[in-house]
Amino acid sequence: MCIHSWISRIAGAMLVVGMLFGSVAASGAPSGSSPPDPVAIREAAEALARYDRLLQLQDAAGLAGMFMPQGRLGHVGEAPVVGRDRIEAFLVSLADYKVLSNEMTLLSSSSAGSQVSQAGTYVQEVRPPNSQALTVRGWFRFTWQRQPDGRWLIQDAKTSSTPFPEDR
């Protein structure tokens, strides 16, 4: 795996959410489906902010707990890390990588039933162990699922070094 791809994967795993709440745009629902649910979109944005707080605390267990039991974390073109225990182990393995800054722009958010999808871009400065800081840029996608108890858990979180193929 090339260093840029690996660093992008690290950055994707360690996204610090610097959300610009005013940039959230609810996309229209396909014809024949229900309209976007602004409450669900707001609640998922709040869940993303909670993810950010846990990341800033470097709480690998807390972050992993935000995923569904078989949640997925990955970078396009690479096998995803699947399941809370594996996600936690992956995040623990990155403990020596320090996120120095992050800017994440949420470009779109849509809802369908008990699911919310978010997409955007990020720019992040990361300091690998015993190395100088690197700036990584990319695109992200999160899919959240509302649980029966009202919590929002991550079903799928992925990053890409280039726009996602369906966005090109």
Side-chain angles (χ1 to χ4, degrees):
M1 177 182 323
C2 75
I3 187 69
H4 183 267
S5 175
W6 198 76
I7 293 298
S8 291
R9 184 173 183 188
I10 289 165
M14 299 182 68
L15 284 175
V16 176
V17 181
M19 288 184 58
L20 302 173
F21 286 99
S23 70
V24 175
S27 62
S31 64
S33 66
S34 60
D37 179 351
V39 173
I41 289 171
R42 178 185 51 78
E43 290 174 351
E46 290 168 357
L48 195 56
R50 201 166 38 259
Y51 182 90
D52 174 37
R53 286 189 300 277
L54 291 171
L55 183 87
Q56 291 178 37
L57 294 170
Q58 298 182 316
D59 183 349
L63 287 166
M66 292 197 70
F67 283 81
M68 294 182 66
Q70 290 302 308
R72 299 161 52 101
L73 172 67
H75 188 77
V76 169
E78 299 175 17
V81 179
V82 180
R84 286 182 183 150
D85 291 342
R86 289 185 176 146
I87 290 170
E88 181 177 354
F90 175 71
L91 294 172
V92 166
S93 77
L94 301 175
D96 291 336
Y97 288 77
K98 302 300 178 201
V99 175
L100 304 174
S101 67
N102 186 77
E103 182 180 336
M104 187 173 189
T105 304
L106 188 57
L107 300 175
S108 68
S109 188
S110 62
S111 67
S114 62
Q115 193 172 76
V116 169
S117 298
Q118 299 168 325
T121 60
Y122 67 90
V123 178
Q124 192 171 74
E125 189 174 7
V126 179
R127 180 176 303 142
N130 305 315
S131 186
Q132 294 184 1
L134 301 170
T135 300
V136 291
R137 301 170 189 275
W139 285 257
F140 70 88
R141 289 227 170 128
F142 281 87
T143 303
W144 298 86
Q145 185 74 39
R146 182 184 300 137
Q147 303 305 295
D149 65 4
R151 291 179 305 141
W152 286 89
L153 296 179
I154 302 167
Q155 179 178 346
D156 189 49
K158 67 177 108 171
T159 60
S160 178
S161 300
T162 61
F164 287 91
E166 55 272 26
D167 293 342
R168 291 185 199 150

